Amino acid sequence: MTADDRAVARYATEAMDDGDLQVLRRLAVIVDRVDPVPAGLVDRIGLALTIDALHTEMAELRMIGTPELALRSDEASIEAVTITFTTDVLTVMITVHAEADRVRVDGWAAPAGELAVELHQGGRIVRVTSDADGRFSFSDLGRGPARLVLRRPEQPDVPVVTPQIEL
């Protein structure tokens, strides 16, 4: 065992004192400045863990239309008009309508039937119920990342969750 190993072993068994806490506080300030936690990361991790715990059916994203005709809002995202998500048990199509700085989302799920539909955007969750034909809508939404969570009445504990999209 080297001298460094012995020093580490000795400090590891001792309680932290005020000097140790001061060093840790300074280190936390440096880390926050150099490599801050991205906005919304904690919420996204919490959602991901919840989804995993629920053994969720994850929907696959399929974009309909011609991407080269879509408007670029920035280098990382394309504003699409119609987006389809598919799973083995459910297909969901949404149309995103820009209304100035707000957004309206109209959706349709197949097979038809009433579903509990949630739109998760940051810490905000907006809930609606689809009609008997599987249609639903959300209005007056802010722009930004969002995802849908759909629950079928016959299996409410196994939600269908879409990938995150940019509204």
Side-chain angles (χ1 to χ4, degrees):
M1 182 180 265
T2 68
D4 286 342
D5 291 338
R6 284 191 295 276
V8 169
R10 182 173 57 90
Y11 285 119
T13 60
E14 294 178 6
M16 292 194 335
D17 61 21
D18 289 338
D20 296 323
L21 294 174
Q22 187 176 10
V23 168
L24 289 175
R25 281 189 211 102
R26 287 181 181 170
L27 182 59
V29 169
I30 292 168
V31 169
D32 282 343
R33 274 193 206 140
V34 174
D35 188 19
V37 175
L41 178 62
V42 174
D43 290 337
R44 291 193 310 265
I45 290 170
L47 179 62
L49 292 172
T50 301
I51 290 169
D52 186 51
L54 294 173
H55 304 288
T56 300
E57 180 80 29
M58 192 65 179
E60 179 180 304
L61 173 66
R62 299 203 188 258
M63 192 162 88
I64 297 175
T66 310
E68 55 272 8
L69 297 179
L71 300 173
R72 284 194 151 298
S73 59
D74 65 338
E75 290 302 315
S77 64
I78 294 176
E79 188 168 349
V81 174
T82 302
I83 303 169
T84 301
F85 305 97
T86 60
T87 70
D88 291 341
V89 297
L90 193 66
T91 297
V92 180
M93 183 185 325
I94 62 169
T95 303
V96 180
H97 306 278
E99 297 174 341
D101 64 335
R102 308 300 286 173
V103 176
R104 175 183 171 85
V105 174
D106 293 312
W108 171 75
E114 288 188 13
L115 300 166
V117 184
E118 302 170 357
L119 186 131
H120 292 243
Q121 191 173 38
R124 180 179 179 213
I125 300 173
V126 182
R127 293 178 173 88
V128 297
T129 302
S130 68
D131 65 17
D133 294 324
R135 296 185 185 281
F136 58 91
S137 68
F138 298 95
S139 59
D140 198 31
L141 299 171
R143 293 204 170 260
R147 74 176 70 237
L148 295 173
V149 177
L150 301 101
R151 298 177 195 279
R152 295 168 290 145
E154 66 275 9
Q155 287 188 303
D157 295 336
V158 183
V160 172
V161 179
T162 68
Q164 183 169 290
I165 60 168
E166 189 76 21
L167 295 179

